[in-house]
Amino acid sequence: MTRRRGRGRSGWKFATRAVHVGEEPNLGPGGSGDVAVPIHLSSTFARRRVTEPTGGFEYSRTSNPTRRALEEKLASLEGARHGLAFSSGMAAETTLCLSLLEKGDHVIASDDLYGGTRRLFSQTLAKFGIEFSFVDARRPSLVSAAVRGNTRMIWLESPTNPLMRLCDINEIARVAKQRSVVTVVDNTFASPCFQSPLGLGTDVVVHSSTKYLSGHSDVVGGALMLSDERLFERVKFNQNAAGAVPSPFDCFLIARGIKTLSLRMERHASNAQRIAEFLSNHKKVDGVNYPGLKDFPQHTLARRQMSGFGGMLSFQLKGDASAARKVLERTKVFSLAESLGGVESLIEHPATMTHASVPPDQRAKLGITDTLIRISAGIEDPDDLLADLRQALS
Ligand SMILES: Cc1ncc(COP(=O)(O)O)c(C=O)c1O
């Protein structure tokens, strides 16, 4: 077989890996030379002998050629040895926790988490005797102080959803290593284009590939990237045992989206920067959360651990909930919708939409007020986005 598999791959830069890894054309005998990975719909694979699968595949829940291509690409994005694809971000999270935790274990999680992750922890996993402490991970000393004898995992998001808070990933990973605790980073917001948690010393990266990885708001998926063989074997076992895997068509869509990830991220970030600066100077706005703003409290940390500031931001509107509702319902280019990371700009109200499952007292404590608005900057012309916000705020 004269496949290009692996050629120069380790020296390739991010944008090249995003296009090519996992999809090297097969120009060998019988190979068709596809430059885009085919969608292998077969649920089962024939073999010549009872003892081994002839083509390396047995049954598509266990492994499938389209999924394997995506998983190779996913691993390469995060500089990981292994990538595993799931049917949603929550499926990835559930399988990871199922694989690494058991009754009596303790997990430290940052207190400003995606609402669905918090719900999984507090309402589902807690029922199985797993304990959770939610701490302000902006202060590594609080994370360190929360570690107990039974702590098995530290779960971080940086930037967080929706307040864009950062944590010092490298410092927390260092503390965790000393105590033999596994660190997990949900890297959905930054994307692997702008932040590499494994390079900062963590063990596992989680993505909702529904967001920037696929990038077009047309597929739900999740991913885990990791290099430790022992952890990988445990999670891979449960990927098959629990079976929350994506369809071959979904794998194809996510792999296709990833090919343009670096181009899209540049535009998401430059649009978000323009919007953040515009909102910062608007008289009806009481504060903007965006790591790329020079006066963002953790701007220095953002510069240190991210190579771009991402496409997500949130802001506090002056006034009350009805003023916020008017702005949210008046935009024309921005769609009022949950989710993020697609080519189209979205606007939403965390308190009643994405974070409605977070108890009101917790929302109040965190600063997810009724006048907080979250934006996912798309890749449209920035002038149209600013004009839309200007009219919605007027
Ligand atoms: C930061 C983050 N992590 C995880 C998830 C869950 O992913 P999914 O919706 O693909 O299950 C989301 C969904 O919005 C998210 O924003």
Side-chain angles (χ1 to χ4, degrees), residues 19-144:
V19 173
H20 290 291
V21 172
E23 308 211 41
E24 296 86 346
N26 183 352
L27 295 171
S32 51
D34 312 82
V35 297
V37 68
I39 304 171
H40 289 263
L41 290 174
S42 196
S43 58
T44 188
F45 300 87
R47 56 172 81 194
R48 285 202 191 90
R49 295 189 202 296
V50 171
T51 44
E52 54 177 350
T54 308
F57 297 94
E58 298 167 52
Y59 182 61
S60 275
R61 169 161 40 76
T62 315
S63 188
N64 166 283
T66 313
R67 195 172 91 217
R68 190 177 69 179
L70 170 65
E71 290 180 334
E72 283 184 29
K73 202 187 277 298
L74 289 169
S76 87
L77 296 181
E78 289 286 4
R81 217 169 279 147
H82 303 288
L84 290 164
F86 294 87
S87 54
S88 68
M90 293 316 302
E93 296 186 13
T94 304
T95 308
L96 180 65
C97 292
L98 199 69
S99 307
L100 305 189
L101 300 171
E102 54 189 61
K103 187 172 177 206
D105 286 349
H106 173 242
V107 177
I108 301 169
S110 58
D111 58 4
D112 181 23
L113 285 182
Y114 165 60
T117 304
R118 200 178 175 110
R119 181 176 53 200
L120 172 72
F121 290 172
S122 318
Q123 294 182 42
T124 305
L125 297 176
K127 279 201 299 206
F128 295 92
I130 298 166
E131 298 163 21
F132 292 89
S133 301
F134 295 96
V135 304
D136 184 346
R138 285 175 298 181
R139 294 173 58 196
S141 59
L142 294 183
V143 178
S144 178

Side-chain angles (χ1 to χ4, degrees), residues 309-322:
F309 303 116
M312 296 301 300
L313 62 131
S314 58
F315 65 98
Q316 293 285 355
L317 193 72
K318 288 183 183 158
D320 56 13
S322 79

Side-chain angles (χ1 to χ4, degrees), residues 271 275 333-335 342-347 376-380 385:
N271 278 356
I275 294 169
V333 182
F334 288 81
S335 294
V343 290
E344 61 292 304
S345 291
L346 302 178
I347 193 161
S376 170
I379 62 165
E380 302 93 334
L385 297 179

